[in-house]
Each structure stands twice: as C-alpha cells, then as structure tokens.
Amino acid sequence: MRKIKIVADSSADILALDAVDFALAPLKIITNETEFIDDAALDVDAMVQWFDSYKGKSKTSCPNPADWLEAFGEAEEVFCVTITSGLSGSYNAACIARQMYEDAHRDRKVHVIDSLSAGPELQLLIEKLQQYIIQDMSFEEICRGIEEYKQQTGLVFMLESLKNFAANGRVNPAVAKIAGVLGIRIVGRASDQGTLEPTNKCRGEAKALATLVENLQKEGLRSGKVRIAHNKNKVAAQQLRHMIRQALPEAEVRIHTCRGLCSYYAERGGMLVGFERM
C-alpha cells in the first residue's frame, strides 16, 4: 500500500484531514516584542487582540527546508502545497526540501505546488488532492491533475485594514492608509503572479460584499465550491454566503475562521474567499 501524505504550510488554515495523512509546516509572525508560531497551539484570538493595540513593525517567516523535511516524515509520496511565492519564500524552501528528500530517498517522490494564493484557495487544492488520493490515482496522474485544477481556482478578498501588509512591506503605505478611512474597504484578488491586487475601494461593508459577489461572477464562479475564511467577522461571512447562494444557487459555500497567518494578513474584519471557476 502506498504511503502518501499531503503537507501544507499554515497559510492553508488546516490542522488535520479525515481521510489522508496530513502534516503542517508553520509560518511565524514576528514583531519587535514577541513572535507567534502558527501551529495547533496558537491562540489565534489572543494574537488578533494583541495586534489590535500593537503599533510597531512586524513580518512573517516561512518554514525552512528542515521544517518541510520534518513534515514530509517517512511518506513515499508527498504532495506539498505552499502559500504564494509572490509573498513568501515558503515555496522555494519546500523545493529545496524536496531535492534533499529525493536525494536521500531515491524511491520517494515529492510534488511541490505553488498555490499563487493563500488561505481558502489552498483548502480547495488540498480537498482536490485528497479526492485524487482516495481515487487511487497514480503519483503522475495526481501531479497533472492538481496543476490543471489550480488553473480553475481563484481568490478574492475584502480587507478593512492593510496595516500589517504595509508594516510587512507588502503594499504601499499610501494605499494602506485608504483602508478603514471613512469606512472604506479594499476589495481585490490574487493576481496571476500570486501578488495582492486591489480592484475596488468600497464605502461600507454592504457595498464591499455586493462587489465581492460581482467579482466572483466576473471571475467565473457558477456552480463550484466557495470557501470563505474570516477574521472576527462571522456575520459578514454568513451574509456573503447568503448573497452567493441567492445569485448562484448551485454553488457549494462553506465558512471557517482564519488561523494565525491568514488572520495576520486579513486583520480584524477581513475575509478571504477561495472559489472554483466553474
């Protein structure tokens, strides 16, 4: 029997899978005062509250090759999903670990997938990998299938604040200042290069949610899966789910709360929405 494992960094917001062996490689959120390790032990609520009052600089640190090797364990076939290489070195570190792993174990294989995204879009990729594994597809078939499937998924977002993106050097501070001023929400998407791409500035949450639904339809959502991740904004997430179901009754919509890394980037009130273009 093949010993197969799915591995992802903590941007996927997943701690375990029901049907397939899974391991997490945590990212870290580092500040001038403390650091948060995004693993199962992290108190996400406490971290979010801490950042509400923190005014200093912050940054994130990706898993290093040793972290990835530990996550690979003793699996014969590994499917590794990382946060976008456009925002993190996680993908490059995983590729180094893959080379080390395959050099040390000539009979083992690792496929590293650059999600070009974060959060709920990684969840969709992992769900599809689990489906392929349960169907007993070969390693090569799964590699081809997941790379094709990745072209059919996307990510949109709504953010009330870009403070942490600016503090981390990910967006222009001038753009960050716009978010939250007079109720402005930034709506955007993950670009084809895996970078943050603001598309709309919306006054008020209701307008932002309506714009999210419009953008999902423009991006090609019809009857596919939708995964909504929110940071302390369950009511808005439920409202968005209702609006999507009204516009697209056949879409399969699920909600979950962000864990550490995604909470850091989405910030309080933010939402990340992964979806299938189908």
Side-chain angles (χ1 to χ4, degrees):
M1 191 176 195
R2 295 156 63 196
K3 193 172 182 181
I4 308 175
K5 193 173 194 179
I6 298 174
V7 176
D9 62 41
S10 56
S11 72
D13 286 337
I14 292 175
L15 297 177
L17 295 173
D18 292 333
V20 175
D21 192 16
F22 177 82
L24 173 76
L27 288 102
K28 297 178 182 178
I29 301 99
I30 302 170
T31 75
N32 293 336
E33 299 178 14
T34 188
E35 74 175 29
F36 302 91
I37 301 174
D38 190 15
D39 59 13
L42 177 64
D43 185 336
V44 178
D45 291 343
M47 188 197 83
V48 172
Q49 186 173 359
W50 189 89
F51 268 105
D52 285 343
S53 59
Y54 179 66
K55 305 300 182 184
K57 291 184 178 181
S58 58
K59 62 181 181 179
T60 59
S61 175
C62 69
N64 59 40
D67 296 326
W68 282 116
L69 284 172
E70 182 180 352
F72 294 171
E74 296 297 326
E76 296 167 353
E77 299 176 11
V78 178
F79 297 95
C80 176
V81 187
T82 77
I83 189 173
T84 171
S85 59
L87 291 176
S88 170
S90 186
Y91 172 74
N92 289 334
C95 288
I96 293 171
R98 173 190 61 195
Q99 190 63 55
M100 296 169 64
Y101 196 71
E102 291 181 343
D103 286 347
H105 308 282
R106 294 294 183 177
D107 58 337
R108 300 181 186 180
K109 305 173 184 177
V110 179
H111 183 61
V112 183
I113 301 140
D114 181 357
S115 71
L116 298 176
S117 190
E121 189 172 356
L122 272 73
Q123 287 205 0
L124 290 173
L125 296 175
I126 291 167
E127 288 175 18
K128 184 59 71 171
L129 284 170
Q130 183 170 237
Q131 175 188 329
Y132 289 157
I133 292 168
I134 292 171
Q135 292 173 347
D136 199 28
M137 292 171 59
S138 71
F139 181 84
E140 291 73 21
E141 288 173 331
I142 295 175
C143 292
R144 288 194 298 270
I146 199 63
E147 293 298 335
E148 291 173 2
Y149 178 72
K150 192 175 76 169
Q151 305 306 313
Q152 302 172 24
T153 62
L155 182 85
V156 297
F157 59 82
M158 179 194 79
L159 303 177
E160 294 186 15
S161 170
L162 293 173
K163 180 184 74 172
N164 289 342
F165 270 111
N168 203 9
R170 303 302 188 187
V171 299
N172 188 308
V175 175
K177 287 181 179 179
I178 295 173
V181 177
L182 300 177
I184 297 295
R185 269 70 168 177
I186 302 297
V187 172
R189 63 188 290 271
S191 72
D192 293 340
Q193 293 73 41
T195 57
L196 181 73
E197 184 180 298
T199 57
N200 307 87
K201 301 179 185 69
C202 303
R203 190 179 298 278
E205 191 167 76
K207 176 61 176 175
L209 293 176
T211 301
L212 274 178
V213 176
E214 292 172 5
N215 289 357
L216 284 166
Q217 291 177 288
K218 288 177 184 177
E219 291 279 348
L221 174 65
R222 295 294 179 268
S223 60
K225 295 179 180 179
V226 182
R227 301 292 179 260
I228 302 171
H230 69 90
N231 182 352
K232 301 296 183 184
N233 206 351
K234 184 177 180 180
V235 172
Q238 291 173 332
Q239 178 64 20
L240 179 61
R241 177 175 61 186
H242 175 71
M243 294 167 69
I244 293 171
R245 285 175 171 172
Q246 278 194 317
L248 304 165
E250 295 183 4
E252 179 204 314
V253 189
R254 297 181 188 172
I255 296 172
H256 70 273
T257 57
C258 294
R259 289 201 53 76
L261 191 282
C262 288
S263 289
Y264 170 75
Y265 278 124
E267 299 192 53
R268 185 182 290 273
M271 285 196 291
L272 308 173
V273 185
F275 65 94
E276 292 179 332
R277 293 185 174 92
M278 55 181 70

